[in-house]
C-alpha cells in the first residue's frame, strides 16, 4: 500500500528560535489515523506543516492527491454567509449569472464542473444535521459547533483525497458529535485527525503518537493503543525492578571487594614489616598484588557502572507516571448536608423563550454527591450551573470553560496566593507540587501555560481558597486538554471529598468520576430527567412538574 503522506527529516522552529519538531520521519497510509500526544509535542504544528500552512525549517512533506485541512479555530469575519464559509459563493454567483443569461467565459471557468454545487452543499449540510441552516444564513448567527460542522461540510465538498482535522469535536454537543463521527467513518480517503475525544479515537484504523520527538505507530484504535502502552509500561517496570536489583547486587559486591582489598593491603603491609623475605621478593609480591588489586577494582567498577547504566536506560523506557493528588479534608461534606437547592428553574433560550415552561424545575444537591449535567448545546446546562452556585449553602468553587478568572499577567504562585489569603508560601508551593507545578514552574506567567498547566493552576487556585470549597462546579473542563491532562484531572476529582457538579460532553471522562447522578436536559423538548443509581425520574416533561 503506497503512502499518502510522507515526512522526511522534518524540522520546524518558530521565529524566536523555539524548536517544535526536529528530524521527524513518518509515513501515513490510506485510512484513518489518529495523531495523539501531550500538549506541546507539536501535533497541531505538524498538521499545519502537512497542510502547507507552515514551511519547514528543514526536511520535506509530500502527499498524494487533493488535500483539505480543517483547523481548530476557523477564521471567521462578520458579514460572511454560510455559502462563504463553505467556499462556494463565487460558484453560486457565477451559476446565477449564467442562468440569468450572461455568457462571459470567465463565469464558465469559475463554475467548471460544479453546476450541482448548491445541491451537493445542501446534501452535505443535511448529512451533518444542519438541515435548518440555509446557504444565505449569516455565520455570526451560528453556534460554535454549527460553524465547525459547516466548515467540515465545505472541506468535504472539495472532494479531498487527504483530510486533516484538528480537534474537530471541541465545542460539539452529543448530537453534533454523532454527525461528525458518521462523516469520519464514511470518508474514503486518507484521514489524519488530532483529537482527545476517545469516542472519535475509537473510530480510526491506527494510532500515531508524537512521543519524545518521534512518531510511534500502533496498528489499531485508541483502545488498542492503550493496551499496547499498558503492556509496554508493565514490561518497562519489570525491567527497572530487575535492573535495580542487579545494580544493588553489583554495588554490594563492589563494597565487599573494597573491604577484601583493604584487608589484603593491611596484610601485605604487615608482612612487609616483618621482613621475613628478601626485599626483592617482597617488592615483586607487592607489585603483583597491586596489579591484581587494580585489575579487580577496575572489573568491579566496570560491573557497577554497567549496572547503573542499565538501570538508567530502563528508567528512560518508563513513561512519566504523573498524577495529581488532592488532600483537602476541609472540603469534606456530611452525607445529609444540603449543598445547593434550586427551585423553579426554567432556563431561558434564544429570544427570551423558556426551554422548560413557566413552572420550572426543583433540583437539590445533598452531601458529597457527584452530579453530571448532560445535554445538547443550548439546553441550559451553564444556566443551571450558575443557579446552583447562586443558591449554594456551602463555600463553592467554579471552573468556567475558559478559566478566564486567571490573570494572564500573574504567575502561577500569585494566582493561587490571590485566593489563599495569608497562607504560607511554602504551603502553597507544596500544594502546587501536588498539581505537578514544581520548582521554577510556579513562577511562570499564566499567559505562557499550556491548556493542561492552566487547568491545573486554576484547580489549585480554586481548591486553595479560604474558606475551602465544599461544592466544586466545572463547566466543560476537558476542552482543549490532551489525554494525559484529562486523566490527571479525573484522578484529582476522584479524590475530592466535597460535592461535585460537572458539565461535559466527554462520556469517558464522566464515567471515570464515580458519578452518583446524571441530570439530563433536552433542548427544545421540555424534558429534564434525573438518573440516580440507574433509576430515572422525570423532573419536567411538556411544561409539567413531576
Amino acid at each position: 500500500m503506497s503512502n499518502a503522506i510522507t515526512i522526511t527529516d522534518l524540522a520546524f522552529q518558530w521565529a524566536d528560535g523555539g524548536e517544535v519538531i526536529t528530524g521527524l520521519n513518518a509515513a501515513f497510509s490510506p485510512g484513518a489515523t489518529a495523531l495523539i500526544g501531550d500538549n506541546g509535542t507539536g501535533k497541531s504544528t505538524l498538521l499545519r506543516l502537512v497542510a502547507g500552512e507552515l514551511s519547514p525549517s528543514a526536511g520535506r512533506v509530500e502527499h498524494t492527491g487533493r488535500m483539505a485541512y480543517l483547523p481548530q479555530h476557523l477564521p471567521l469575519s462578520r458579514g460572511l454567509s454560510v455559502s462563504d464559509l463553505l467556499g462556494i459563493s463565487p460558484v453560486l454567483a457565477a451559476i446565477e449569472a449564467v442562468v440569468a443569461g450572461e455568457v462571459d467565459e470567465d463565469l464558465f471557468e469559475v463554475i467548471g464542473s460544479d453546476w450541482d454545487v448548491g445541491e451537493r452543499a445542501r446534501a452535505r449540510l443535511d448529512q451533518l444535521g444542519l438541515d435548518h441552516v440555509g446557504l444565505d444564513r449569516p455565520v455570526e448567527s451560528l453556534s460554535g459547533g454549527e460553524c465547525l460542522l459547516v466548515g467540515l461540510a465545505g472541506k468535504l465538498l472539495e472532494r479531498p483525497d487527504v483530510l486533516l482535522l484538528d480537534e474537530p469535536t471541541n465545542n460539539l454537543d452529543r448530537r453534533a458529535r454523532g454527525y461528525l463521527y458518521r462523516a469520519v467513518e464514511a470518508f474514503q480517503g486518507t484521514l489524519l485527525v488530532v483529537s482527545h475525544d476517545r469516542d472519535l479515537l475509537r473510530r480510526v484504523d491506527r494510532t500515531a503518537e508524537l512521543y519524545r520527538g518521534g512518531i510511534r505507530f500502533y496498528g489499531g484504535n485508541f483502545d488498542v493503543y492503550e493496551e499496547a502502552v499498558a503492556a509496554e509500561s508493565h514490561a518497562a517496570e519489570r525491567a527497572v525492578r530487575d535492573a535495580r536489583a542487579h545494580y544493588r547486587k553489583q554495588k554490594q559486591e563492589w563494597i565487599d571487594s573494597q573491604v577484601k582489598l583493604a584487608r589484603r593491603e593491611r596484610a601485605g603491609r604487615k608482612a612487609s614489616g616483618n621482613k621475613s623475605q628478601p626485599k626483592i621478593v617482597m617488592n615483586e609480591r607487592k607489585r603483583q598484588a597491586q596489579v591484581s588489586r587494580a585489575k579487580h577494582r577496575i572489573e568491579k567498577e566496570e560491573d557497577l557502572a554497567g549496572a547503573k547504566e542499565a538501570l538508567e536506560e530502563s528508567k528512560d523506557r518508563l513513561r512519566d507516571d504523573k498524577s495529581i493528588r488532592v488532600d483537602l479534608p476541609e472540603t469534606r461534606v456530611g452525607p445529609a448536608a444540603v449543598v445547593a437547592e434550586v427551585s423553579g428553574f426554567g432556563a431561558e433560550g434564544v429570544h427570551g423563550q423558556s426551554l422548560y415552561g413557566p413552572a420550572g424545575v426543583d433540583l437539590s444537591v445533598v452531601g458529597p454527591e457527584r452530579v453530571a449535567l448532560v445535554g445538547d448545546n443550548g439546553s441550559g446546562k451553564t444556566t443551571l450551573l450558575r443557579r446552583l452556585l447562586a443558591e449554594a449553602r456551602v463555600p463553592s468553587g467554579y471552573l468556567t470553560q475558559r478559566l478566564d478568572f486567571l490573570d494572564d499577567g500573574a504567575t502561577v504562585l500569585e494566582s493561587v496566593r490571590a485566593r489563599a489569603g495569608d497562607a504560607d508560601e511554602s504551603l502553597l508551593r507544596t500544594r502546587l507540587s501536588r498539581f505537578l507545578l514544581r520548582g521554577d514552574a510556579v513562577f511562570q506567567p499564566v499567559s505562557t501555560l499550556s491548556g493542561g498547566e492552566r487547568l491545573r493552576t486554576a484547580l489549585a487556585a480554586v481548591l486553595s481558597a479560604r474558606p475551602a470549597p465544599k461544592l466544586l462546579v466545572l463547566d466543560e473542563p476537558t476542552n482543549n486538554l490532551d489525554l494525559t491532562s484529562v486523566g490527571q484531572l479525573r484522578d484529582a476529582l476522584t479524590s475530592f471529598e466535597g460535592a461535585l457538579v460537572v458539565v461535559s460532553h466527554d462520556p469517558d471522562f464522566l464515567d471515570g468520576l464515580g458519578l452518583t447522578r446524571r441530570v439530563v436536559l433536552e433542548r427544545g423538548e421540555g424534558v429534564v430527567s434525573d438518573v440516580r443509581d440507574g433509576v430515572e425520574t422525570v423532573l419536567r416533561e411538556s411544561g409539567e412538574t413531576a
Side-chain angles (χ1 to χ4, degrees):
M1 183 182 294
S2 60
N3 295 318
I5 303 171
T6 304
I7 297 170
T8 308
D9 297 328
L10 187 67
F12 178 78
Q13 64 180 27
W14 297 110
D16 62 3
E19 289 189 342
V20 182
I21 295 170
T22 305
L24 187 67
N25 292 280
F28 297 90
S29 56
T33 301
L35 180 61
I36 64 173
D38 291 347
N39 286 345
T41 53
K43 302 184 299 296
S44 294
T45 302
L46 181 57
L47 279 196
R48 295 179 67 189
L49 286 163
V50 173
E53 284 208 345
L54 295 175
S55 298
S57 307
R60 64 183 186 275
V61 177
E62 300 170 308
H63 66 84
T64 59
R66 184 181 302 174
M67 177 175 288
Y69 165 57
L70 186 67
Q72 271 192 61
H73 306 291
L74 294 175
L76 301 176
S77 302
R78 292 189 64 83
L80 290 181
S81 67
V82 167
S83 64
D84 293 328
L85 187 54
L86 289 169
I88 62 173
S89 290
V91 181
L92 291 178
I95 292 173
E96 185 177 350
V98 170
V99 170
E102 295 187 35
V103 294
D104 192 319
E105 289 184 7
D106 291 342
L107 294 174
F108 291 91
E109 187 173 336
V110 169
I111 297 169
S113 60
D114 285 335
W115 289 93
D116 64 340
V117 70
E119 291 77 11
R120 288 194 296 111
R122 183 70 270 156
R124 281 292 182 193
L125 292 174
D126 293 350
Q127 289 167 3
L128 292 170
L130 300 174
D131 50 300
H132 59 290
V133 175
L135 296 180
D136 58 350
R137 181 167 166 176
V139 167
E140 56 259 34
S141 70
L142 302 178
S143 69
E146 288 171 333
C147 282
L148 186 285
L149 291 176
V150 171
L152 176 60
K155 299 306 176 185
L156 294 174
L157 283 175
E158 296 175 16
R159 297 170 176 154
D161 302 293
V162 178
L163 178 61
L164 311 177
L165 303 178
D166 192 0
E167 297 288 2
T169 60
N170 277 3
N171 303 315
L172 294 188
D173 59 29
R174 177 188 54 187
R175 192 172 299 172
R177 289 187 185 206
Y179 286 116
L180 183 133
Y181 296 154
R182 287 192 283 275
V184 164
E185 291 172 330
F187 185 69
Q188 297 297 308
T190 300
L191 175 69
L192 183 57
V193 56
V194 169
S195 180
H196 67 268
D197 179 348
R198 288 171 179 255
D199 272 352
L200 177 55
L201 296 177
R202 291 188 178 108
R203 290 168 163 80
V204 300
D205 303 307
R206 67 194 68 85
T207 303
E209 182 186 27
L210 265 176
Y211 183 68
R212 295 184 177 178
I215 291 186
R216 305 173 67 183
F217 286 88
Y218 298 83
N221 64 12
F222 189 75
D223 291 334
V224 172
Y225 158 80
E226 282 199 312
E227 290 173 3
V229 168
E232 290 174 4
S233 296
H234 290 319
E237 288 166 2
R238 284 196 302 271
V240 168
R241 288 196 297 268
D242 292 344
R244 184 174 285 119
H246 180 61
Y247 173 71
R248 287 172 178 166
K249 178 183 176 183
Q250 291 299 323
K251 189 173 182 179
Q252 187 59 52
E253 288 183 1
W254 180 83
I255 292 171
D256 293 342
S257 72
Q258 297 303 301
V259 172
K260 289 179 182 178
L261 288 173
R263 288 173 179 170
R264 288 177 184 174
E265 287 177 353
R266 287 196 299 272
R269 287 194 298 270
K270 184 176 181 181
S272 177
N274 292 335
K275 297 182 180 180
S276 57
Q277 299 287 337
K279 185 174 182 180
I280 189 170
V281 175
M282 294 295 293
N283 287 340
E284 178 59 21
R285 287 183 175 178
K286 181 178 180 181
R287 187 190 68 79
Q288 290 178 359
Q290 288 174 338
V291 171
S292 177
R293 286 196 296 270
K295 183 178 178 181
H296 184 71
R297 181 181 291 111
I298 290 171
E299 288 176 350
K300 285 300 177 184
E301 287 176 350
E302 286 178 347
D303 289 344
L304 183 60
K308 184 173 180 59
E309 183 178 352
L311 176 58
E312 293 305 317
E313 287 178 355
S314 63
K315 285 180 178 179
D316 285 342
R317 290 192 290 272
L318 281 175
R319 287 177 174 261
D320 293 335
D321 183 16
K322 297 178 178 178
S323 60
I324 298 174
R325 294 179 292 123
V326 176
D327 183 15
L328 298 170
E330 61 267 36
T331 64
R332 191 174 298 136
V333 173
V338 178
V339 174
E341 195 166 31
V342 171
S343 60
F345 171 69
E348 191 173 89
V350 294
H351 309 305
Q353 297 175 345
S354 175
L355 296 175
Y356 308 121
V361 170
D362 297 337
L363 186 67
S364 61
V365 178
V366 179
E369 289 195 282
R370 293 176 165 263
V371 185
L373 298 184
V374 296
D376 295 339
N377 289 343
S379 58
K381 301 185 299 297
T382 298
T383 304
L384 181 51
L385 283 188
R386 290 171 180 162
R387 280 290 305 276
L388 280 170
L389 285 165
E391 304 295 337
R393 300 185 182 182
V394 297
S396 61
Y398 181 31
L399 266 69
T400 60
Q401 287 191 39
R402 298 183 179 181
L403 305 178
D404 46 13
F405 67 86
L406 293 176
D407 179 0
D408 283 346
T411 67
V412 170
L413 183 58
E414 289 167 346
S415 299
V416 176
R417 185 187 287 122
R419 296 202 166 211
D422 58 355
D424 182 77
E425 181 172 318
S426 62
L427 172 64
L428 296 181
R429 295 195 65 169
T430 298
R431 180 159 293 170
L432 281 167
S433 71
R434 294 177 178 175
F435 289 86
L436 312 180
L437 297 161
R438 303 184 178 100
D440 291 340
V442 304
F443 302 116
Q444 278 185 263
V446 169
S447 61
T448 66
L449 301 179
S450 68
E453 290 168 336
R454 191 180 182 94
L455 187 282
R456 296 200 303 272
T457 299
L459 188 58
V462 167
L463 293 178
S464 298
R466 290 291 176 268
K470 295 180 181 293
L471 167 64
L472 184 59
V473 174
L474 301 95
D475 194 356
E476 294 290 359
T478 63
N479 275 2
N480 302 313
L481 290 188
D482 58 48
L483 291 162
T484 299
S485 298
V486 171
Q488 292 167 350
L489 175 62
R490 182 189 60 238
D491 293 343
L493 296 179
T494 299
S495 56
F496 178 68
E497 297 188 73
L500 183 68
V501 180
V502 183
V503 166
S504 178
H505 291 303
D506 186 339
D508 286 283
F509 173 69
L510 292 176
D511 289 343
L513 293 180
L515 297 174
T516 58
R517 298 170 67 187
R518 289 176 186 259
V519 176
V520 185
L521 287 70
E522 298 291 345
R523 179 179 62 184
E525 297 179 10
V527 176
V528 180
S529 57
D530 189 351
V531 184
R532 192 196 306 257
D533 298 326
V535 178
E536 179 177 4
T537 302
V538 177
L539 301 180
R540 157 161 309 291
E541 185 168 12
S542 302
E544 298 177 0
T545 304

